[in-house]
Amino acid sequence: MGIEPLIDVGSWDDEDEDQGNEPASSPHRSILITPRDGIVLSFLTRYGFAPTTPLARLTGVQPESIRKRMDALRAAGFVKNIQTPLGWFWVATPAGIDLSGFTLPPKEEIRLHNLHHSLAVTELAAELEAEHPHATDVLGVEQFGESFPVKHRNTEYRGADTLARVWGSDCVAEREILQSLGNQWGTASADARRAVEEAAADPTAPETAAGNEWMFVAYGDGGRTGRHTPDLVVLRPRAEDGTPQHIAVEFERTRKPREDQIRIFKAFKEQGLMFGKVVYFTPSSGIRNHLLNVAEEVGLGNLTVRKYQPYSV
């Protein structure tokens, strides 16, 4: 999948400066923080890092415009650049994380062994969370009976004064899930499993509340912890009968051993109580066939496998 044409919705230099935002305090250069800056800092905080192009896809501006703005945020001390064998990536600093409103730890290093996988997840997240109507329909939601582009993002979820639906989907990153799980339960998997069962039966959807991201873990048997955390989760409203309909998203670059894939699919089938759908992305037809075969063996009926070729690598 290539990069779709971008719609230039204006440089950040053109944003109004009378929106009530005070210039951010910084030990570096003073800068007026805009709502779009907040979107970028939130994304970097939750997914750890991103190159320039996914950030352009997220915000709907041309890469040159976002690169210029990121340089300004770097000069102000809110982001930094980290060089890897695959290029330069933007990372939020502690000051940038404070502005994002999240409490995740800063990304001190980028691990090379799963860098390709992490980049692909970042690309998918940028399309899913895109704050404009020109994103790519990576989920293929029309197959689910929905229209695209979607307005599933809840502004109240992001602290707005009024409730409104805006472009994109609210997503939960794996980093959020793991941080929440550690804060709430530590290694007490049995207690957490029971709590997820109770939450799934609660029609008030407690899993969407801040701090409850741990409820998106699928529990199974075997492995190091007996649980599986999706790469990211796309939030969806509950069904009319109150059952959860969230979408677990995974990117598969390499083929897992059959026994490991069986364990993960059994976790989704038997204890993936929060998920109406499980969507895997892979660039490989061989991996696709492997996933479908294992899903049939396990009886995982809500699996969809879609082709995705990352563009950042």
Side-chain angles (χ1 to χ4, degrees):
M1 178 181 298
I3 306 174
E4 298 293 327
L6 294 174
I7 302 299
D8 192 347
V9 296
S11 167
W12 272 310
D13 295 337
D14 300 327
E15 297 229 15
D16 293 336
E17 297 190 0
D18 57 355
Q19 302 176 24
N21 295 313
E22 293 295 327
S25 59
S26 168
H28 305 281
R29 185 179 302 169
S30 179
I31 186 175
L32 181 71
I33 295 299
T34 70
R36 203 176 288 160
D37 293 331
I39 292 168
V40 170
L41 292 172
S42 167
F43 189 87
L44 291 176
T45 297
R46 292 182 298 116
Y47 292 99
F49 64 89
T52 299
T53 299
L55 298 180
R57 300 294 296 151
L58 173 70
T59 55
V61 302
Q62 294 292 338
E64 306 81 48
S65 297
I66 196 168
R67 189 175 293 109
K68 179 180 179 182
R69 185 58 179 181
M70 296 304 292
D71 284 339
L73 290 173
R74 177 175 55 185
F78 296 118
V79 299
K80 62 181 179 180
N81 247 182
I82 294 182
Q83 187 177 21
T84 75
L86 297 182
W88 289 88
F89 300 132
W90 298 104
V91 176
T93 64
I97 292 173
D98 287 344
L99 278 182
S100 77
F102 290 86
T103 57
L104 291 162
K107 195 80 170 178
E108 298 295 344
E109 61 180 0
I110 297 177
R111 297 179 180 177
L112 300 182
H113 76 277
N114 63 348
L115 182 55
H116 289 83
H117 174 273
S118 299
L119 271 175
V121 173
T122 299
E123 292 177 13
L124 290 167
E127 298 298 333
L128 292 165
E129 298 190 17
E131 301 265 339
H132 56 88
H134 306 290
T136 302
D137 182 15
V138 291
L139 280 179
V141 297
E142 291 185 347
Q143 298 179 17
F144 305 150
E146 302 179 17
S147 60
F148 188 85
V150 298
K151 280 190 175 182
H152 286 160
R153 188 184 298 277
N154 186 347
T155 55
E156 187 178 53
Y157 176 79
R158 297 181 299 164
D161 294 331
T162 57
L163 179 62
R165 294 289 180 182
V166 295
W167 297 115
S169 295
D170 280 321
C171 298
V172 179
E174 183 181 23
R175 293 188 81 215
E176 296 177 85
I177 298 172
L178 294 176
Q179 167 105 345
S180 172
L181 181 69
N183 290 344
Q184 183 71 24
W185 297 104
T187 59
S189 292
D191 293 338
R193 182 194 302 246
R194 287 191 292 270
V196 170
E197 293 173 352
E198 295 174 359
D202 186 341
T204 64
E207 71 276 6
T208 61
N212 285 349
E213 296 85 0
W214 57 268
M215 295 181 181
F216 292 115
V217 172
Y219 288 91
D221 299 316
R224 288 177 299 174
T225 61
R227 64 185 183 228
H228 179 72
T229 306
D231 289 330
L232 66 92
V233 175
V234 182
L235 300 186
R236 287 291 188 266
R238 294 271 181 127
E240 291 184 1
D241 64 359
T243 56
Q245 297 298 308
H246 309 295
I247 303 172
V249 173
E250 303 273 6
F251 178 77
E252 205 76 356
R253 181 173 176 266
T254 58
R255 175 173 168 165
K256 286 186 175 65
R258 189 175 191 84
E259 58 272 18
D260 290 345
Q261 199 63 63
I262 288 174
R263 175 182 58 81
I264 292 170
F265 279 0
K266 281 186 175 180
F268 276 130
K269 178 188 176 184
E270 298 168 4
Q271 287 290 326
L273 303 176
M274 291 298 175
F275 307 117
K277 299 179 181 68
V278 178
V279 180
Y280 269 71
F281 292 90
T282 181
S284 165
S285 59
I287 294 176
R288 172 185 180 274
N289 294 336
H290 170 67
L291 293 170
L292 293 175
N293 288 337
V294 174
E296 183 178 5
E297 178 181 340
V298 171
L300 181 64
N302 63 345
L303 173 72
T304 298
V305 183
R306 295 182 60 80
K307 183 177 182 179
Y308 186 80
Q309 180 63 55
Y311 56 76
S312 294
V313 293

